[in-house]
Amino acid sequence: MGMTAAERLAWIQSRIAGACRACGRDPAEVTLVAVSKKQDVAAVAALAACGQRIFAESYIQEALPKMDAAPAGLTWHFIGHLQRNKAKLTEGRFDLIHTVDNLELAQKLQKKSRELGQIQKICLQVNVAGEDQKSGIAPEALPELAEAVVALPELGLCGLMVIPPVFDDPEGARPVFARLRELRDELSTRLGQPLPVLSMGMSGDLEAAVMEGATHVRVGTDLFGPRQL
Ligand SMILES: *Cc1c(COP(=O)(O)O)cnc(C)c1O
């Protein structure tokens, strides 16, 4: 506690760099996504003032007013469970939606993107560990969903995302991260297109995720401190 925004950001960047060093990756391959859910605009502005540019939100009603009030020039991602009837509210304002896991939602996003004349970048969220009650498409059903999604012209499929089960040991999630990478590689071959994004790793397990190939780590608590709102 008591760390400044600049110190927190430097700490997370050094953790990413350390994990990259340990596995021979270039830290430039890893994008830090600052998870600002339940943080106020002042916290976003403080981190933006330190140079952070990419922020992510989980709740659409919380996100939109915050995005309006935040400093200009930031890039916003969506990482929450998106209800189909709220898909239109995204209004093309999220550069990347990490959490598409069903075709109906993809179709709603497609419709909105077409209206706006934009391409919406998305990732498919995968329930790698097969947990009950958890968002994400089952690995067995992933190819079929992905093939349907790439047929939607206003969606750009960028890659895969996972939220692993909660483990006490930060290394516990590592096989889940490794499996997501394999699923991405298989899917990329099947679709005949690159799927560059692997969105995985949070405050507690970002090192394991980076070592398994994460391109986007989503960090909230260790970047902002405890959630406020
Ligand atoms: C809240 C959240 C995070 C950030 O989690 P921390 O443990 O606070 O870093 C990352 N990804 C998703 C999908 C989240 O909902």
mmCIF file of all heavy atoms in Angstrom, residues 58-89:
data_model
loop_
_atom_site.group_PDB
_atom_site.id
_atom_site.type_symbol
_atom_site.label_atom_id
_atom_site.label_comp_id
_atom_site.label_asym_id
_atom_site.label_seq_id
_atom_site.Cartn_x
_atom_site.Cartn_y
_atom_site.Cartn_z
ATOM 1 N N SER A 58 -15.441 -3.913 -17.285
ATOM 2 C CA SER A 58 -16.214 -5.156 -17.233
ATOM 3 C C SER A 58 -17.715 -4.951 -17.232
ATOM 4 O O SER A 58 -18.448 -5.918 -17.435
ATOM 5 C CB SER A 58 -15.865 -5.937 -15.965
ATOM 6 O OG SER A 58 -14.517 -6.345 -15.986
ATOM 7 N N TYR A 59 -18.168 -3.744 -16.914
ATOM 8 C CA TYR A 59 -19.607 -3.489 -16.798
ATOM 9 C C TYR A 59 -19.941 -2.303 -17.689
ATOM 10 O O TYR A 59 -19.379 -1.215 -17.520
ATOM 11 C CB TYR A 59 -19.997 -3.192 -15.350
ATOM 12 C CG TYR A 59 -19.497 -4.224 -14.381
ATOM 13 C CD1 TYR A 59 -18.342 -4.000 -13.643
ATOM 14 C CD2 TYR A 59 -20.154 -5.450 -14.233
ATOM 15 C CE1 TYR A 59 -17.841 -4.961 -12.773
ATOM 16 C CE2 TYR A 59 -19.666 -6.419 -13.373
ATOM 17 C CZ TYR A 59 -18.510 -6.163 -12.644
ATOM 18 O OH TYR A 59 -18.016 -7.121 -11.803
ATOM 19 N N ILE A 60 -20.865 -2.507 -18.622
ATOM 20 C CA ILE A 60 -21.091 -1.495 -19.651
ATOM 21 C C ILE A 60 -21.624 -0.186 -19.050
ATOM 22 O O ILE A 60 -21.169 0.897 -19.429
ATOM 23 C CB ILE A 60 -21.986 -2.079 -20.774
ATOM 24 C CG1 ILE A 60 -21.905 -1.225 -22.027
ATOM 25 C CG2 ILE A 60 -23.406 -2.293 -20.376
ATOM 26 C CD1 ILE A 60 -20.813 -1.656 -22.930
ATOM 27 N N GLN A 61 -22.533 -0.290 -18.070
ATOM 28 C CA GLN A 61 -23.102 0.937 -17.491
ATOM 29 C C GLN A 61 -22.061 1.728 -16.710
ATOM 30 O O GLN A 61 -22.135 2.941 -16.616
ATOM 31 C CB GLN A 61 -24.273 0.637 -16.543
ATOM 32 C CG GLN A 61 -25.514 0.125 -17.226
ATOM 33 C CD GLN A 61 -25.578 -1.396 -17.242
ATOM 34 O OE1 GLN A 61 -24.536 -2.068 -17.264
ATOM 35 N NE2 GLN A 61 -26.765 -1.948 -17.242
ATOM 36 N N GLU A 62 -21.137 1.023 -16.087
ATOM 37 C CA GLU A 62 -20.057 1.708 -15.376
ATOM 38 C C GLU A 62 -19.063 2.305 -16.372
ATOM 39 O O GLU A 62 -18.523 3.402 -16.155
ATOM 40 C CB GLU A 62 -19.337 0.708 -14.462
ATOM 41 C CG GLU A 62 -18.181 1.304 -13.679
ATOM 42 C CD GLU A 62 -17.344 0.240 -12.963
ATOM 43 O OE1 GLU A 62 -17.872 -0.822 -12.580
ATOM 44 O OE2 GLU A 62 -16.128 0.489 -12.796
ATOM 45 N N ALA A 63 -18.833 1.587 -17.459
ATOM 46 C CA ALA A 63 -17.773 1.968 -18.396
ATOM 47 C C ALA A 63 -18.079 3.254 -19.149
ATOM 48 O O ALA A 63 -17.214 4.134 -19.251
ATOM 49 C CB ALA A 63 -17.543 0.836 -19.393
ATOM 50 N N LEU A 64 -19.291 3.379 -19.679
ATOM 51 C CA LEU A 64 -19.552 4.460 -20.643
ATOM 52 C C LEU A 64 -19.372 5.855 -20.039
ATOM 53 O O LEU A 64 -18.661 6.682 -20.617
ATOM 54 C CB LEU A 64 -20.926 4.277 -21.293
ATOM 55 C CG LEU A 64 -21.070 2.980 -22.116
ATOM 56 C CD1 LEU A 64 -22.492 2.831 -22.649
ATOM 57 C CD2 LEU A 64 -20.056 2.886 -23.241
ATOM 58 N N PRO A 65 -19.951 6.150 -18.864
ATOM 59 C CA PRO A 65 -19.713 7.478 -18.286
ATOM 60 C C PRO A 65 -18.244 7.710 -17.914
ATOM 61 O O PRO A 65 -17.732 8.829 -18.016
ATOM 62 C CB PRO A 65 -20.609 7.509 -17.033
ATOM 63 C CG PRO A 65 -21.157 6.146 -16.851
ATOM 64 C CD PRO A 65 -20.927 5.360 -18.099
ATOM 65 N N LYS A 66 -17.570 6.637 -17.492
ATOM 66 C CA LYS A 66 -16.152 6.773 -17.139
ATOM 67 C C LYS A 66 -15.326 7.110 -18.377
ATOM 68 O O LYS A 66 -14.440 7.971 -18.338
ATOM 69 C CB LYS A 66 -15.663 5.467 -16.502
ATOM 70 C CG LYS A 66 -14.360 5.582 -15.764
ATOM 71 C CD LYS A 66 -13.887 4.229 -15.261
ATOM 72 C CE LYS A 66 -14.826 3.601 -14.233
ATOM 73 N NZ LYS A 66 -14.286 2.327 -13.717
ATOM 74 N N MET A 67 -15.649 6.463 -19.484
ATOM 75 C CA MET A 67 -14.926 6.722 -20.733
ATOM 76 C C MET A 67 -15.159 8.158 -21.201
ATOM 77 O O MET A 67 -14.251 8.810 -21.718
ATOM 78 C CB MET A 67 -15.368 5.722 -21.795
ATOM 79 C CG MET A 67 -14.911 4.305 -21.474
ATOM 80 S SD MET A 67 -15.864 3.019 -22.319
ATOM 81 C CE MET A 67 -15.297 3.171 -23.986
ATOM 82 N N ASP A 68 -16.397 8.649 -20.994
ATOM 83 C CA ASP A 68 -16.707 10.039 -21.371
ATOM 84 C C ASP A 68 -15.894 11.035 -20.546
ATOM 85 O O ASP A 68 -15.486 12.079 -21.031
ATOM 86 C CB ASP A 68 -18.198 10.333 -21.159
ATOM 87 C CG ASP A 68 -19.078 9.622 -22.174
ATOM 88 O OD1 ASP A 68 -18.560 9.271 -23.257
ATOM 89 O OD2 ASP A 68 -20.270 9.413 -21.885
ATOM 90 N N ALA A 69 -15.693 10.701 -19.261
ATOM 91 C CA ALA A 69 -15.040 11.634 -18.337
ATOM 92 C C ALA A 69 -13.513 11.502 -18.338
ATOM 93 O O ALA A 69 -12.813 12.385 -17.846
ATOM 94 C CB ALA A 69 -15.570 11.401 -16.919
ATOM 95 N N ALA A 70 -12.997 10.402 -18.870
ATOM 96 C CA ALA A 70 -11.554 10.127 -18.815
ATOM 97 C C ALA A 70 -10.797 11.023 -19.798
ATOM 98 O O ALA A 70 -11.390 11.571 -20.725
ATOM 99 C CB ALA A 70 -11.303 8.655 -19.136
ATOM 100 N N PRO A 71 -9.485 11.155 -19.597
ATOM 101 C CA PRO A 71 -8.682 11.926 -20.551
ATOM 102 C C PRO A 71 -8.846 11.377 -21.969
ATOM 103 O O PRO A 71 -9.058 10.171 -22.148
ATOM 104 C CB PRO A 71 -7.243 11.705 -20.063
ATOM 105 C CG PRO A 71 -7.358 11.298 -18.637
ATOM 106 C CD PRO A 71 -8.674 10.585 -18.497
ATOM 107 N N ALA A 72 -8.747 12.243 -22.949
ATOM 108 C CA ALA A 72 -8.841 11.817 -24.343
ATOM 109 C C ALA A 72 -7.609 11.008 -24.726
ATOM 110 O O ALA A 72 -6.578 11.079 -24.058
ATOM 111 C CB ALA A 72 -8.973 13.042 -25.242
ATOM 112 N N GLY A 73 -7.748 10.245 -25.782
ATOM 113 C CA GLY A 73 -6.580 9.559 -26.339
ATOM 114 C C GLY A 73 -6.316 8.187 -25.750
ATOM 115 O O GLY A 73 -5.315 7.560 -26.088
ATOM 116 N N LEU A 74 -7.203 7.707 -24.870
ATOM 117 C CA LEU A 74 -7.022 6.369 -24.310
ATOM 118 C C LEU A 74 -7.744 5.351 -25.182
ATOM 119 O O LEU A 74 -8.692 5.676 -25.887
ATOM 120 C CB LEU A 74 -7.567 6.308 -22.877
ATOM 121 C CG LEU A 74 -6.988 7.339 -21.912
ATOM 122 C CD1 LEU A 74 -7.576 7.143 -20.509
ATOM 123 C CD2 LEU A 74 -5.467 7.266 -21.875
ATOM 124 N N THR A 75 -7.290 4.119 -25.110
ATOM 125 C CA THR A 75 -7.930 3.009 -25.818
ATOM 126 C C THR A 75 -8.626 2.147 -24.785
ATOM 127 O O THR A 75 -8.045 1.839 -23.736
ATOM 128 C CB THR A 75 -6.853 2.192 -26.570
ATOM 129 O OG1 THR A 75 -6.256 3.039 -27.549
ATOM 130 C CG2 THR A 75 -7.459 0.987 -27.269
ATOM 131 N N TRP A 76 -9.871 1.759 -25.097
ATOM 132 C CA TRP A 76 -10.667 0.994 -24.145
ATOM 133 C C TRP A 76 -10.976 -0.386 -24.690
ATOM 134 O O TRP A 76 -11.325 -0.545 -25.858
ATOM 135 C CB TRP A 76 -11.966 1.743 -23.834
ATOM 136 C CG TRP A 76 -11.696 3.031 -23.119
ATOM 137 C CD1 TRP A 76 -11.418 4.248 -23.680
ATOM 138 C CD2 TRP A 76 -11.621 3.209 -21.699
ATOM 139 N NE1 TRP A 76 -11.177 5.178 -22.688
ATOM 140 C CE2 TRP A 76 -11.300 4.573 -21.466
ATOM 141 C CE3 TRP A 76 -11.794 2.352 -20.597
ATOM 142 C CZ2 TRP A 76 -11.153 5.102 -20.172
ATOM 143 C CZ3 TRP A 76 -11.646 2.880 -19.320
ATOM 144 C CH2 TRP A 76 -11.333 4.230 -19.119
ATOM 145 N N HIS A 77 -10.869 -1.380 -23.801
ATOM 146 C CA HIS A 77 -11.264 -2.753 -24.131
ATOM 147 C C HIS A 77 -12.433 -3.149 -23.241
ATOM 148 O O HIS A 77 -12.631 -2.567 -22.170
ATOM 149 C CB HIS A 77 -10.112 -3.729 -23.867
ATOM 150 C CG HIS A 77 -8.952 -3.593 -24.823
ATOM 151 N ND1 HIS A 77 -7.917 -4.489 -24.852
ATOM 152 C CD2 HIS A 77 -8.673 -2.672 -25.790
ATOM 153 C CE1 HIS A 77 -7.035 -4.134 -25.794
ATOM 154 N NE2 HIS A 77 -7.480 -3.026 -26.367
ATOM 155 N N PHE A 78 -13.162 -4.156 -23.651
ATOM 156 C CA PHE A 78 -14.227 -4.698 -22.810
ATOM 157 C C PHE A 78 -13.881 -6.137 -22.450
ATOM 158 O O PHE A 78 -13.584 -6.949 -23.330
ATOM 159 C CB PHE A 78 -15.593 -4.635 -23.519
ATOM 160 C CG PHE A 78 -16.718 -4.895 -22.564
ATOM 161 C CD1 PHE A 78 -17.211 -3.880 -21.750
ATOM 162 C CD2 PHE A 78 -17.257 -6.170 -22.442
ATOM 163 C CE1 PHE A 78 -18.223 -4.133 -20.832
ATOM 164 C CE2 PHE A 78 -18.272 -6.423 -21.521
ATOM 165 C CZ PHE A 78 -18.753 -5.400 -20.724
ATOM 166 N N ILE A 79 -13.931 -6.450 -21.137
ATOM 167 C CA ILE A 79 -13.510 -7.777 -20.673
ATOM 168 C C ILE A 79 -14.564 -8.454 -19.805
ATOM 169 O O ILE A 79 -14.288 -9.483 -19.189
ATOM 170 C CB ILE A 79 -12.168 -7.707 -19.894
ATOM 171 C CG1 ILE A 79 -12.307 -6.804 -18.661
ATOM 172 C CG2 ILE A 79 -11.040 -7.237 -20.782
ATOM 173 C CD1 ILE A 79 -11.142 -6.935 -17.689
ATOM 174 N N GLY A 80 -15.759 -7.865 -19.715
ATOM 175 C CA GLY A 80 -16.789 -8.446 -18.860
ATOM 176 C C GLY A 80 -17.718 -9.366 -19.627
ATOM 177 O O GLY A 80 -17.625 -9.513 -20.844
ATOM 178 N N HIS A 81 -18.632 -9.969 -18.897
ATOM 179 C CA HIS A 81 -19.676 -10.767 -19.524
ATOM 180 C C HIS A 81 -20.651 -9.799 -20.193
ATOM 181 O O HIS A 81 -21.224 -8.946 -19.524
ATOM 182 C CB HIS A 81 -20.389 -11.600 -18.457
ATOM 183 C CG HIS A 81 -21.569 -12.336 -18.998
ATOM 184 N ND1 HIS A 81 -21.429 -13.397 -19.866
ATOM 185 C CD2 HIS A 81 -22.889 -12.142 -18.836
ATOM 186 C CE1 HIS A 81 -22.633 -13.837 -20.198
ATOM 187 N NE2 HIS A 81 -23.536 -13.094 -19.589
ATOM 188 N N LEU A 82 -20.783 -9.898 -21.492
ATOM 189 C CA LEU A 82 -21.627 -8.956 -22.236
ATOM 190 C C LEU A 82 -22.953 -9.639 -22.566
ATOM 191 O O LEU A 82 -22.983 -10.623 -23.302
ATOM 192 C CB LEU A 82 -20.905 -8.504 -23.507
ATOM 193 C CG LEU A 82 -21.553 -7.400 -24.335
ATOM 194 C CD1 LEU A 82 -21.829 -6.141 -23.504
ATOM 195 C CD2 LEU A 82 -20.665 -7.043 -25.523
ATOM 196 N N GLN A 83 -24.025 -9.090 -21.993
ATOM 197 C CA GLN A 83 -25.347 -9.635 -22.310
ATOM 198 C C GLN A 83 -25.713 -9.243 -23.734
ATOM 199 O O GLN A 83 -25.395 -8.151 -24.188
ATOM 200 C CB GLN A 83 -26.374 -9.099 -21.329
ATOM 201 C CG GLN A 83 -26.195 -9.680 -19.936
ATOM 202 C CD GLN A 83 -27.037 -8.925 -18.918
ATOM 203 O OE1 GLN A 83 -26.914 -7.711 -18.767
ATOM 204 N NE2 GLN A 83 -27.901 -9.649 -18.243
ATOM 205 N N ARG A 84 -26.409 -10.145 -24.398
ATOM 206 C CA ARG A 84 -26.729 -9.903 -25.820
ATOM 207 C C ARG A 84 -27.512 -8.616 -26.001
ATOM 208 O O ARG A 84 -27.291 -7.885 -26.952
ATOM 209 C CB ARG A 84 -27.567 -11.068 -26.355
ATOM 210 C CG ARG A 84 -26.758 -12.339 -26.426
ATOM 211 C CD ARG A 84 -27.645 -13.565 -26.524
ATOM 212 N NE ARG A 84 -26.870 -14.705 -26.041
ATOM 213 C CZ ARG A 84 -27.337 -15.927 -25.925
ATOM 214 N NH1 ARG A 84 -28.589 -16.208 -26.256
ATOM 215 N NH2 ARG A 84 -26.561 -16.877 -25.476
ATOM 216 N N ASN A 85 -28.444 -8.338 -25.059
ATOM 217 C CA ASN A 85 -29.281 -7.145 -25.213
ATOM 218 C C ASN A 85 -28.515 -5.848 -24.917
ATOM 219 O O ASN A 85 -29.046 -4.768 -25.089
ATOM 220 C CB ASN A 85 -30.554 -7.252 -24.362
ATOM 221 C CG ASN A 85 -30.249 -7.338 -22.879
ATOM 222 O OD1 ASN A 85 -29.086 -7.286 -22.466
ATOM 223 N ND2 ASN A 85 -31.269 -7.475 -22.066
ATOM 224 N N LYS A 86 -27.261 -5.977 -24.471
ATOM 225 C CA LYS A 86 -26.442 -4.774 -24.237
ATOM 226 C C LYS A 86 -25.380 -4.587 -25.316
ATOM 227 O O LYS A 86 -24.633 -3.605 -25.294
ATOM 228 C CB LYS A 86 -25.757 -4.860 -22.872
ATOM 229 C CG LYS A 86 -26.763 -5.001 -21.726
ATOM 230 C CD LYS A 86 -26.421 -4.115 -20.560
ATOM 231 C CE LYS A 86 -27.526 -4.126 -19.513
ATOM 232 N NZ LYS A 86 -27.253 -5.087 -18.434
ATOM 233 N N ALA A 87 -25.324 -5.526 -26.259
ATOM 234 C CA ALA A 87 -24.252 -5.472 -27.267
ATOM 235 C C ALA A 87 -24.279 -4.151 -28.017
ATOM 236 O O ALA A 87 -23.232 -3.566 -28.312
ATOM 237 C CB ALA A 87 -24.384 -6.638 -28.241
ATOM 238 N N LYS A 88 -25.482 -3.648 -28.306
ATOM 239 C CA LYS A 88 -25.571 -2.412 -29.099
ATOM 240 C C LYS A 88 -25.024 -1.208 -28.337
ATOM 241 O O LYS A 88 -24.572 -0.238 -28.941
ATOM 242 C CB LYS A 88 -27.009 -2.161 -29.556
ATOM 243 C CG LYS A 88 -28.036 -2.068 -28.438
ATOM 244 C CD LYS A 88 -29.418 -1.814 -29.056
ATOM 245 C CE LYS A 88 -30.524 -1.721 -28.028
ATOM 246 N NZ LYS A 88 -30.683 -2.955 -27.212
ATOM 247 N N LEU A 89 -25.040 -1.268 -26.999
ATOM 248 C CA LEU A 89 -24.545 -0.141 -26.199
ATOM 249 C C LEU A 89 -23.042 0.075 -26.353
ATOM 250 O O LEU A 89 -22.527 1.142 -26.019
ATOM 251 C CB LEU A 89 -24.872 -0.349 -24.717
ATOM 252 C CG LEU A 89 -26.355 -0.458 -24.356
ATOM 253 C CD1 LEU A 89 -26.522 -0.721 -22.863
ATOM 254 C CD2 LEU A 89 -27.110 0.802 -24.760
#
